[in-house]
Amino acid sequence: MSGQLVRSLLIALATALVAVPLGYFVAPWLGWGVFCLGLGLQLLFHFRNFARLDRWSRHPVVDASLEGEGEWDGVFGRLYRHEKELRQQIAQREQEIAMLIAAGQALTDGVVLLDLEHHILFCNRTAEAQLGLKIEVDRGQSIVNLVRQPEFARYLSDNDFSRPLSLRPERYRERVYAIHVIPYAGSRRLMQIKDVTQEDRLDQTRRDFVANVSHELRTPLTVLAGFLETLQEIELDTEERQRYLQMMSDQAGRMQSIVQDLLTLSSIESAPPPEDEVVDMSRLLDKLRRDAEALSGGRHTVELEIDGKADLLGAEPELVSAFGNLVTNAIRYTPPGGRVRILWNRTPLGAEFAVEDTGPGIDAKHIPRLTERFYRVDRGRSRDSGGTGLGLAIVKHSLGRHQAQLDIRSEVGKGSRFAARFPLHRVIAQG
Ligand code: ADP
C-alpha cells in the first residue's frame, strides 16, 4: 500500500506543480480548478477500485477477471491468490472428510458418534438400519430418546464401557447386537454396533448340544449305576443275574451308540471332505438291502428297485453311513408286516436315492426339525428301537458334503419317503 500512497502523493504534487503556475500567472481560480480536478480524478480512480473491492468482498468468487487498475491490481492479485489457495484447502479438506465418511459408511458394523450428553453427531447407514435412526432428522438428538430401552440408557449413563452391552433391539427382537463404546477426543464417544446374532445362535446351539449330550448319557448311566448297586447288594440267582447283566449290557450299548454317532458327526463336521472315489452303487445297494433284511429279521418286505444304472462320485464311508441311517430308520419305525423300498433312480438333474416305508409317518410340523441333533418325534419309540436321535443329523451333513439335498415327504398313518438328491456332477452314468 505504501507504493500506492507514494504514487498518489506524486500525482498530487504533479497536479500542484501545474496548478500553482497557472494560478499565479493566469488566474487563481484556474489554478485551484486544475488542482481540484486533479485531486477529484484521483479520488474517482480510488473510489472506483474501492467500489469494485467492496462488491467482490460481498460475494468473493475466484475469478480471473478480478483486476484492479494501477497499484490496485497488486492488491486484487494478492486477494485473488489468497482466496484461490483458501478454496483449494477447503476443497481438499472436504474431500478428506468425504473419504472419512465414505469409510464410515463402508463399515459392516454400525457406527454412531456421540458427544458427552449422548447427542448424535454422525451415524453410518448400518447404524441407521440397526437402530432405526435417520441422520438427517436425528442429528443433534439424544440417542437415549431414540433407542428407548432402559438397559441401553443405563449402559450409557453408567459410563463404564469396559464390557460391551448385549442388546436385543426392540424393532428386531430376534437379533442380538454387541455395543462397544470407545471414548475419544476427550468428550466424544464412538459407539460400535456389531451384529452378533449368528454367534449368539451358535453359542446357544452349543449350549443346547452339551445339555442334550449330558442328558442322553445320564439316563443310561443312572440305570447302569442302579443295576450295579443292586448286583452288589442283593444276592440273585443265576437267571436273574443274567437278566440284570443283559439290561446293563443294553444300556452300555446305548451309550456306545450315542458316542459312536457323536464321533461320526464331529468327524463329518470338522474334517475336510475325503478324496472323491467312484462308489459302486449296485454293490452298495445290494449290501444295504441285505443289512435291511438282517435288521428286519423277516418282519418286513424289503424291496430294491434300480432305474438306470449309475454310480456316484464321493466318499464311500459317508454315503454308506447316510444311506444306512435312512434304511435303518425305515425298518425301525415300520411295524412288522410293513414294506420298505430302497430306490435308486437316474433323474434329469442327477440321481436320487430314496427309502420308502409304510410306517407311522410323521406330522408335517416335525419335518423341518428332523435333522436337528437329538430331535425325535416320539422319544420313547426312538429309544426303544435303539435310536440316538443323531441319525438324520449325520445324513444331512454327509449329503451336504456331496452337494446333495435331503427331501422328506411323509403322511401320518401312511408312511414316509426320505430321498437324497445328487447333482449331475456327482453321477457317473453306466451305459
Ligand atoms: P433316531 O435315532 O431317534 O431315529 P434320527 O435322527 O434318525 O433319530 O430320526 C429323528 C426322528 O425322526 C426319529 O426320532 C423319528 O421320530 C423320526 N423318523 C426318522 N425316520 C423315520 C421313519 N422312517 N418313519 C417315521 N419316523 C421317522
PDB file of all heavy atoms in Angstrom, residues 354-385:
ATOM      1  N   ALA A 354     -33.622 -93.155  -2.602  1.00  0.00           N
ATOM      2  CA  ALA A 354     -34.786 -92.934  -1.735  1.00  0.00           C
ATOM      3  C   ALA A 354     -35.125 -94.196  -0.962  1.00  0.00           C
ATOM      4  O   ALA A 354     -34.840 -95.313  -1.401  1.00  0.00           O
ATOM      5  CB  ALA A 354     -35.978 -92.488  -2.565  1.00  0.00           C
ATOM      6  N   VAL A 355     -35.706 -93.962   0.230  1.00  0.00           N
ATOM      7  CA  VAL A 355     -36.205 -95.086   1.032  1.00  0.00           C
ATOM      8  C   VAL A 355     -37.666 -94.778   1.361  1.00  0.00           C
ATOM      9  O   VAL A 355     -37.966 -93.716   1.918  1.00  0.00           O
ATOM     10  CB  VAL A 355     -35.390 -95.255   2.344  1.00  0.00           C
ATOM     11  CG1 VAL A 355     -35.894 -96.446   3.123  1.00  0.00           C
ATOM     12  CG2 VAL A 355     -33.914 -95.406   2.051  1.00  0.00           C
ATOM     13  N   GLU A 356     -38.539 -95.691   0.981  1.00  0.00           N
ATOM     14  CA  GLU A 356     -39.972 -95.510   1.247  1.00  0.00           C
ATOM     15  C   GLU A 356     -40.417 -96.577   2.237  1.00  0.00           C
ATOM     16  O   GLU A 356     -39.959 -97.719   2.168  1.00  0.00           O
ATOM     17  CB  GLU A 356     -40.775 -95.694  -0.038  1.00  0.00           C
ATOM     18  CG  GLU A 356     -40.644 -94.528  -0.992  1.00  0.00           C
ATOM     19  CD  GLU A 356     -41.434 -94.755  -2.287  1.00  0.00           C
ATOM     20  OE1 GLU A 356     -42.152 -95.778  -2.389  1.00  0.00           O
ATOM     21  OE2 GLU A 356     -41.295 -93.916  -3.191  1.00  0.00           O
ATOM     22  N   ASP A 357     -41.264 -96.191   3.162  1.00  0.00           N
ATOM     23  CA  ASP A 357     -41.782 -97.203   4.087  1.00  0.00           C
ATOM     24  C   ASP A 357     -43.273 -97.013   4.296  1.00  0.00           C
ATOM     25  O   ASP A 357     -43.838 -95.987   3.915  1.00  0.00           O
ATOM     26  CB  ASP A 357     -41.020 -97.155   5.426  1.00  0.00           C
ATOM     27  CG  ASP A 357     -41.235 -95.860   6.184  1.00  0.00           C
ATOM     28  OD1 ASP A 357     -42.388 -95.459   6.379  1.00  0.00           O
ATOM     29  OD2 ASP A 357     -40.224 -95.236   6.585  1.00  0.00           O
ATOM     30  N   THR A 358     -43.880 -98.028   4.876  1.00  0.00           N
ATOM     31  CA  THR A 358     -45.322 -97.946   5.160  1.00  0.00           C
ATOM     32  C   THR A 358     -45.512 -97.798   6.670  1.00  0.00           C
ATOM     33  O   THR A 358     -46.460 -98.323   7.246  1.00  0.00           O
ATOM     34  CB  THR A 358     -46.032 -99.221   4.652  1.00  0.00           C
ATOM     35  OG1 THR A 358     -45.363-100.348   5.243  1.00  0.00           O
ATOM     36  CG2 THR A 358     -45.991 -99.318   3.144  1.00  0.00           C
ATOM     37  N   GLY A 359     -44.557 -97.067   7.283  1.00  0.00           N
ATOM     38  CA  GLY A 359     -44.572 -96.896   8.745  1.00  0.00           C
ATOM     39  C   GLY A 359     -45.607 -95.869   9.207  1.00  0.00           C
ATOM     40  O   GLY A 359     -46.515 -95.508   8.455  1.00  0.00           O
ATOM     41  N   PRO A 360     -45.421 -95.353  10.439  1.00  0.00           N
ATOM     42  CA  PRO A 360     -46.437 -94.480  11.046  1.00  0.00           C
ATOM     43  C   PRO A 360     -46.525 -93.097  10.401  1.00  0.00           C
ATOM     44  O   PRO A 360     -47.498 -92.378  10.605  1.00  0.00           O
ATOM     45  CB  PRO A 360     -45.969 -94.355  12.498  1.00  0.00           C
ATOM     46  CG  PRO A 360     -44.501 -94.605  12.435  1.00  0.00           C
ATOM     47  CD  PRO A 360     -44.282 -95.584  11.334  1.00  0.00           C
ATOM     48  N   GLY A 361     -45.511 -92.713   9.632  1.00  0.00           N
ATOM     49  CA  GLY A 361     -45.500 -91.371   9.028  1.00  0.00           C
ATOM     50  C   GLY A 361     -45.159 -90.315  10.074  1.00  0.00           C
ATOM     51  O   GLY A 361     -45.091 -90.594  11.279  1.00  0.00           O
ATOM     52  N   ILE A 362     -44.932 -89.104   9.618  1.00  0.00           N
ATOM     53  CA  ILE A 362     -44.501 -88.020  10.524  1.00  0.00           C
ATOM     54  C   ILE A 362     -45.372 -86.793  10.244  1.00  0.00           C
ATOM     55  O   ILE A 362     -45.568 -86.416   9.086  1.00  0.00           O
ATOM     56  CB  ILE A 362     -43.019 -87.653  10.262  1.00  0.00           C
ATOM     57  CG1 ILE A 362     -42.133 -88.898  10.351  1.00  0.00           C
ATOM     58  CG2 ILE A 362     -42.527 -86.576  11.226  1.00  0.00           C
ATOM     59  CD1 ILE A 362     -40.812 -88.767   9.628  1.00  0.00           C
ATOM     60  N   ASP A 363     -45.856 -86.185  11.298  1.00  0.00           N
ATOM     61  CA  ASP A 363     -46.670 -84.973  11.158  1.00  0.00           C
ATOM     62  C   ASP A 363     -45.819 -83.858  10.524  1.00  0.00           C
ATOM     63  O   ASP A 363     -44.648 -83.691  10.879  1.00  0.00           O
ATOM     64  CB  ASP A 363     -47.140 -84.544  12.563  1.00  0.00           C
ATOM     65  CG  ASP A 363     -48.263 -83.524  12.480  1.00  0.00           C
ATOM     66  OD1 ASP A 363     -48.229 -82.691  11.558  1.00  0.00           O
ATOM     67  OD2 ASP A 363     -49.173 -83.575  13.323  1.00  0.00           O
ATOM     68  N   ALA A 364     -46.436 -83.100   9.608  1.00  0.00           N
ATOM     69  CA  ALA A 364     -45.687 -82.072   8.843  1.00  0.00           C
ATOM     70  C   ALA A 364     -44.943 -81.096   9.750  1.00  0.00           C
ATOM     71  O   ALA A 364     -43.862 -80.611   9.385  1.00  0.00           O
ATOM     72  CB  ALA A 364     -46.651 -81.316   7.942  1.00  0.00           C
ATOM     73  N   LYS A 365     -45.478 -80.840  10.941  1.00  0.00           N
ATOM     74  CA  LYS A 365     -44.826 -79.827  11.800  1.00  0.00           C
ATOM     75  C   LYS A 365     -43.441 -80.276  12.298  1.00  0.00           C
ATOM     76  O   LYS A 365     -42.613 -79.444  12.665  1.00  0.00           O
ATOM     77  CB  LYS A 365     -45.745 -79.445  12.967  1.00  0.00           C
ATOM     78  CG  LYS A 365     -45.948 -80.494  14.015  1.00  0.00           C
ATOM     79  CD  LYS A 365     -46.676 -79.876  15.211  1.00  0.00           C
ATOM     80  CE  LYS A 365     -46.761 -80.802  16.397  1.00  0.00           C
ATOM     81  NZ  LYS A 365     -47.923 -81.671  16.412  1.00  0.00           N
ATOM     82  N   HIS A 366     -43.221 -81.602  12.309  1.00  0.00           N
ATOM     83  CA  HIS A 366     -41.918 -82.087  12.786  1.00  0.00           C
ATOM     84  C   HIS A 366     -40.861 -82.101  11.685  1.00  0.00           C
ATOM     85  O   HIS A 366     -39.666 -82.100  11.974  1.00  0.00           O
ATOM     86  CB  HIS A 366     -42.040 -83.517  13.320  1.00  0.00           C
ATOM     87  CG  HIS A 366     -42.928 -83.624  14.509  1.00  0.00           C
ATOM     88  ND1 HIS A 366     -42.614 -83.064  15.719  1.00  0.00           N
ATOM     89  CD2 HIS A 366     -44.131 -84.215  14.681  1.00  0.00           C
ATOM     90  CE1 HIS A 366     -43.580 -83.319  16.588  1.00  0.00           C
ATOM     91  NE2 HIS A 366     -44.521 -84.006  15.975  1.00  0.00           N
ATOM     92  N   ILE A 367     -41.333 -82.174  10.432  1.00  0.00           N
ATOM     93  CA  ILE A 367     -40.390 -82.449   9.332  1.00  0.00           C
ATOM     94  C   ILE A 367     -39.217 -81.456   9.259  1.00  0.00           C
ATOM     95  O   ILE A 367     -38.064 -81.882   9.172  1.00  0.00           O
ATOM     96  CB  ILE A 367     -41.153 -82.586   7.995  1.00  0.00           C
ATOM     97  CG1 ILE A 367     -41.956 -83.889   8.083  1.00  0.00           C
ATOM     98  CG2 ILE A 367     -40.201 -82.618   6.795  1.00  0.00           C
ATOM     99  CD1 ILE A 367     -42.765 -84.243   6.877  1.00  0.00           C
ATOM    100  N   PRO A 368     -39.452 -80.139   9.356  1.00  0.00           N
ATOM    101  CA  PRO A 368     -38.293 -79.225   9.242  1.00  0.00           C
ATOM    102  C   PRO A 368     -37.262 -79.418  10.357  1.00  0.00           C
ATOM    103  O   PRO A 368     -36.119 -79.006  10.213  1.00  0.00           O
ATOM    104  CB  PRO A 368     -38.932 -77.831   9.351  1.00  0.00           C
ATOM    105  CG  PRO A 368     -40.384 -78.035   9.106  1.00  0.00           C
ATOM    106  CD  PRO A 368     -40.702 -79.419   9.536  1.00  0.00           C
ATOM    107  N   ARG A 369     -37.657 -80.057  11.475  1.00  0.00           N
ATOM    108  CA  ARG A 369     -36.725 -80.160  12.604  1.00  0.00           C
ATOM    109  C   ARG A 369     -36.064 -81.538  12.723  1.00  0.00           C
ATOM    110  O   ARG A 369     -35.230 -81.739  13.610  1.00  0.00           O
ATOM    111  CB  ARG A 369     -37.467 -79.836  13.914  1.00  0.00           C
ATOM    112  CG  ARG A 369     -38.064 -78.441  13.917  1.00  0.00           C
ATOM    113  CD  ARG A 369     -38.408 -77.994  15.294  1.00  0.00           C
ATOM    114  NE  ARG A 369     -37.257 -78.015  16.185  1.00  0.00           N
ATOM    115  CZ  ARG A 369     -37.343 -77.892  17.500  1.00  0.00           C
ATOM    116  NH1 ARG A 369     -38.507 -77.730  18.061  1.00  0.00           N
ATOM    117  NH2 ARG A 369     -36.257 -77.915  18.243  1.00  0.00           N
ATOM    118  N   LEU A 370     -36.430 -82.457  11.829  1.00  0.00           N
ATOM    119  CA  LEU A 370     -35.941 -83.844  11.997  1.00  0.00           C
ATOM    120  C   LEU A 370     -34.429 -83.967  11.955  1.00  0.00           C
ATOM    121  O   LEU A 370     -33.866 -84.854  12.608  1.00  0.00           O
ATOM    122  CB  LEU A 370     -36.534 -84.745  10.903  1.00  0.00           C
ATOM    123  CG  LEU A 370     -38.033 -85.065  11.022  1.00  0.00           C
ATOM    124  CD1 LEU A 370     -38.446 -86.016   9.924  1.00  0.00           C
ATOM    125  CD2 LEU A 370     -38.357 -85.671  12.385  1.00  0.00           C
ATOM    126  N   THR A 371     -33.759 -83.060  11.211  1.00  0.00           N
ATOM    127  CA  THR A 371     -32.306 -83.213  11.086  1.00  0.00           C
ATOM    128  C   THR A 371     -31.549 -82.507  12.227  1.00  0.00           C
ATOM    129  O   THR A 371     -30.323 -82.504  12.244  1.00  0.00           O
ATOM    130  CB  THR A 371     -31.810 -82.665   9.734  1.00  0.00           C
ATOM    131  OG1 THR A 371     -32.296 -81.345   9.593  1.00  0.00           O
ATOM    132  CG2 THR A 371     -32.278 -83.511   8.571  1.00  0.00           C
ATOM    133  N   GLU A 372     -32.303 -81.900  13.167  1.00  0.00           N
ATOM    134  CA  GLU A 372     -31.611 -81.312  14.328  1.00  0.00           C
ATOM    135  C   GLU A 372     -31.103 -82.440  15.215  1.00  0.00           C
ATOM    136  O   GLU A 372     -31.761 -83.476  15.338  1.00  0.00           O
ATOM    137  CB  GLU A 372     -32.594 -80.468  15.159  1.00  0.00           C
ATOM    138  CG  GLU A 372     -32.965 -79.170  14.516  1.00  0.00           C
ATOM    139  CD  GLU A 372     -34.019 -78.422  15.312  1.00  0.00           C
ATOM    140  OE1 GLU A 372     -34.184 -78.690  16.523  1.00  0.00           O
ATOM    141  OE2 GLU A 372     -34.698 -77.589  14.698  1.00  0.00           O
ATOM    142  N   ARG A 373     -29.971 -82.170  15.868  1.00  0.00           N
ATOM    143  CA  ARG A 373     -29.417 -83.218  16.730  1.00  0.00           C
ATOM    144  C   ARG A 373     -30.373 -83.494  17.892  1.00  0.00           C
ATOM    145  O   ARG A 373     -30.865 -82.563  18.517  1.00  0.00           O
ATOM    146  CB  ARG A 373     -28.084 -82.763  17.325  1.00  0.00           C
ATOM    147  CG  ARG A 373     -27.044 -82.583  16.304  1.00  0.00           C
ATOM    148  CD  ARG A 373     -26.121 -81.520  16.777  1.00  0.00           C
ATOM    149  NE  ARG A 373     -25.347 -81.038  15.665  1.00  0.00           N
ATOM    150  CZ  ARG A 373     -24.113 -80.590  15.792  1.00  0.00           C
ATOM    151  NH1 ARG A 373     -23.528 -80.546  16.955  1.00  0.00           N
ATOM    152  NH2 ARG A 373     -23.481 -80.169  14.742  1.00  0.00           N
ATOM    153  N   PHE A 374     -30.590 -84.738  18.144  1.00  0.00           N
ATOM    154  CA  PHE A 374     -31.412 -85.247  19.252  1.00  0.00           C
ATOM    155  C   PHE A 374     -32.894 -84.900  19.125  1.00  0.00           C
ATOM    156  O   PHE A 374     -33.633 -85.005  20.082  1.00  0.00           O
ATOM    157  CB  PHE A 374     -30.887 -84.748  20.614  1.00  0.00           C
ATOM    158  CG  PHE A 374     -29.498 -85.221  20.923  1.00  0.00           C
ATOM    159  CD1 PHE A 374     -28.444 -84.336  21.030  1.00  0.00           C
ATOM    160  CD2 PHE A 374     -29.244 -86.583  21.086  1.00  0.00           C
ATOM    161  CE1 PHE A 374     -27.155 -84.766  21.301  1.00  0.00           C
ATOM    162  CE2 PHE A 374     -27.952 -87.028  21.357  1.00  0.00           C
ATOM    163  CZ  PHE A 374     -26.900 -86.126  21.467  1.00  0.00           C
ATOM    164  N   TYR A 375     -33.304 -84.441  17.930  1.00  0.00           N
ATOM    165  CA  TYR A 375     -34.729 -84.168  17.769  1.00  0.00           C
ATOM    166  C   TYR A 375     -35.434 -85.478  17.431  1.00  0.00           C
ATOM    167  O   TYR A 375     -35.047 -86.182  16.510  1.00  0.00           O
ATOM    168  CB  TYR A 375     -34.981 -83.152  16.643  1.00  0.00           C
ATOM    169  CG  TYR A 375     -36.440 -82.725  16.583  1.00  0.00           C
ATOM    170  CD1 TYR A 375     -36.922 -81.702  17.387  1.00  0.00           C
ATOM    171  CD2 TYR A 375     -37.335 -83.391  15.747  1.00  0.00           C
ATOM    172  CE1 TYR A 375     -38.258 -81.339  17.350  1.00  0.00           C
ATOM    173  CE2 TYR A 375     -38.675 -83.034  15.717  1.00  0.00           C
ATOM    174  CZ  TYR A 375     -39.122 -82.007  16.516  1.00  0.00           C
ATOM    175  OH  TYR A 375     -40.447 -81.646  16.503  1.00  0.00           O
ATOM    176  N   ARG A 376     -36.459 -85.793  18.204  1.00  0.00           N
ATOM    177  CA  ARG A 376     -37.229 -87.015  17.927  1.00  0.00           C
ATOM    178  C   ARG A 376     -38.709 -86.679  17.968  1.00  0.00           C
ATOM    179  O   ARG A 376     -39.139 -85.855  18.771  1.00  0.00           O
ATOM    180  CB  ARG A 376     -36.979 -88.069  19.001  1.00  0.00           C
ATOM    181  CG  ARG A 376     -35.587 -88.662  18.932  1.00  0.00           C
ATOM    182  CD  ARG A 376     -35.144 -88.874  20.326  1.00  0.00           C
ATOM    183  NE  ARG A 376     -33.998 -89.751  20.406  1.00  0.00           N
ATOM    184  CZ  ARG A 376     -33.084 -89.581  21.330  1.00  0.00           C
ATOM    185  NH1 ARG A 376     -33.182 -88.593  22.197  1.00  0.00           N
ATOM    186  NH2 ARG A 376     -32.075 -90.419  21.393  1.00  0.00           N
ATOM    187  N   VAL A 377     -39.473 -87.367  17.127  1.00  0.00           N
ATOM    188  CA  VAL A 377     -40.920 -87.146  17.139  1.00  0.00           C
ATOM    189  C   VAL A 377     -41.489 -87.838  18.386  1.00  0.00           C
ATOM    190  O   VAL A 377     -42.265 -87.256  19.138  1.00  0.00           O
ATOM    191  CB  VAL A 377     -41.564 -87.732  15.858  1.00  0.00           C
ATOM    192  CG1 VAL A 377     -43.070 -87.577  15.902  1.00  0.00           C
ATOM    193  CG2 VAL A 377     -40.979 -87.042  14.634  1.00  0.00           C
ATOM    194  N   ASP A 378     -41.044 -89.066  18.580  1.00  0.00           N
ATOM    195  CA  ASP A 378     -41.526 -89.830  19.730  1.00  0.00           C
ATOM    196  C   ASP A 378     -40.289 -90.380  20.453  1.00  0.00           C
ATOM    197  O   ASP A 378     -39.654 -91.327  20.001  1.00  0.00           O
ATOM    198  CB  ASP A 378     -42.430 -90.968  19.209  1.00  0.00           C
ATOM    199  CG  ASP A 378     -43.007 -91.810  20.343  1.00  0.00           C
ATOM    200  OD1 ASP A 378     -42.402 -91.824  21.431  1.00  0.00           O
ATOM    201  OD2 ASP A 378     -44.046 -92.442  20.117  1.00  0.00           O
ATOM    202  N   ARG A 379     -39.966 -89.717  21.556  1.00  0.00           N
ATOM    203  CA  ARG A 379     -38.741 -90.043  22.289  1.00  0.00           C
ATOM    204  C   ARG A 379     -38.689 -91.523  22.685  1.00  0.00           C
ATOM    205  O   ARG A 379     -37.698 -92.207  22.487  1.00  0.00           O
ATOM    206  CB  ARG A 379     -38.692 -89.155  23.534  1.00  0.00           C
ATOM    207  CG  ARG A 379     -37.343 -88.963  24.136  1.00  0.00           C
ATOM    208  CD  ARG A 379     -37.331 -87.709  24.980  1.00  0.00           C
ATOM    209  NE  ARG A 379     -36.867 -86.565  24.201  1.00  0.00           N
ATOM    210  CZ  ARG A 379     -35.582 -86.289  24.009  1.00  0.00           C
ATOM    211  NH1 ARG A 379     -34.660 -87.054  24.533  1.00  0.00           N
ATOM    212  NH2 ARG A 379     -35.225 -85.249  23.302  1.00  0.00           N
ATOM    213  N   GLY A 380     -39.818 -91.984  23.228  1.00  0.00           N
ATOM    214  CA  GLY A 380     -39.882 -93.357  23.730  1.00  0.00           C
ATOM    215  C   GLY A 380     -39.649 -94.356  22.615  1.00  0.00           C
ATOM    216  O   GLY A 380     -38.830 -95.271  22.733  1.00  0.00           O
ATOM    217  N   ARG A 381     -40.336 -94.121  21.479  1.00  0.00           N
ATOM    218  CA  ARG A 381     -40.226 -95.073  20.365  1.00  0.00           C
ATOM    219  C   ARG A 381     -38.801 -95.089  19.806  1.00  0.00           C
ATOM    220  O   ARG A 381     -38.252 -96.140  19.492  1.00  0.00           O
ATOM    221  CB  ARG A 381     -41.213 -94.694  19.268  1.00  0.00           C
ATOM    222  CG  ARG A 381     -41.285 -95.760  18.193  1.00  0.00           C
ATOM    223  CD  ARG A 381     -42.205 -95.381  17.075  1.00  0.00           C
ATOM    224  NE  ARG A 381     -43.596 -95.385  17.469  1.00  0.00           N
ATOM    225  CZ  ARG A 381     -44.594 -95.030  16.647  1.00  0.00           C
ATOM    226  NH1 ARG A 381     -44.319 -94.642  15.439  1.00  0.00           N
ATOM    227  NH2 ARG A 381     -45.834 -95.057  17.056  1.00  0.00           N
ATOM    228  N   SER A 382     -38.199 -93.900  19.721  1.00  0.00           N
ATOM    229  CA  SER A 382     -36.832 -93.817  19.210  1.00  0.00           C
ATOM    230  C   SER A 382     -35.889 -94.626  20.098  1.00  0.00           C
ATOM    231  O   SER A 382     -35.073 -95.413  19.628  1.00  0.00           O
ATOM    232  CB  SER A 382     -36.396 -92.357  19.160  1.00  0.00           C
ATOM    233  OG  SER A 382     -35.004 -92.268  19.151  1.00  0.00           O
ATOM    234  N   ARG A 383     -36.052 -94.435  21.422  1.00  0.00           N
ATOM    235  CA  ARG A 383     -35.144 -95.093  22.363  1.00  0.00           C
ATOM    236  C   ARG A 383     -35.345 -96.606  22.351  1.00  0.00           C
ATOM    237  O   ARG A 383     -34.395 -97.368  22.322  1.00  0.00           O
ATOM    238  CB  ARG A 383     -35.397 -94.521  23.761  1.00  0.00           C
ATOM    239  CG  ARG A 383     -34.222 -94.614  24.656  1.00  0.00           C
ATOM    240  CD  ARG A 383     -34.369 -93.691  25.827  1.00  0.00           C
ATOM    241  NE  ARG A 383     -34.123 -92.302  25.490  1.00  0.00           N
ATOM    242  CZ  ARG A 383     -34.585 -91.282  26.179  1.00  0.00           C
ATOM    243  NH1 ARG A 383     -35.328 -91.478  27.239  1.00  0.00           N
ATOM    244  NH2 ARG A 383     -34.295 -90.052  25.839  1.00  0.00           N
ATOM    245  N   ASP A 384     -36.623 -96.999  22.333  1.00  0.00           N
ATOM    246  CA  ASP A 384     -36.917 -98.433  22.354  1.00  0.00           C
ATOM    247  C   ASP A 384     -36.335 -99.136  21.144  1.00  0.00           C
ATOM    248  O   ASP A 384     -35.954-100.299  21.199  1.00  0.00           O
ATOM    249  CB  ASP A 384     -38.437 -98.667  22.382  1.00  0.00           C
ATOM    250  CG  ASP A 384     -39.040 -98.178  23.697  1.00  0.00           C
ATOM    251  OD1 ASP A 384     -38.252 -97.922  24.629  1.00  0.00           O
ATOM    252  OD2 ASP A 384     -40.277 -98.029  23.770  1.00  0.00           O
ATOM    253  N   SER A 385     -36.281 -98.392  20.018  1.00  0.00           N
ATOM    254  CA  SER A 385     -35.778 -99.043  18.807  1.00  0.00           C
ATOM    255  C   SER A 385     -34.275 -98.805  18.648  1.00  0.00           C
ATOM    256  O   SER A 385     -33.709 -99.063  17.598  1.00  0.00           O
ATOM    257  CB  SER A 385     -36.534 -98.532  17.582  1.00  0.00           C
ATOM    258  OG  SER A 385     -36.312 -97.150  17.462  1.00  0.00           O
TER     259      SER A 385
END
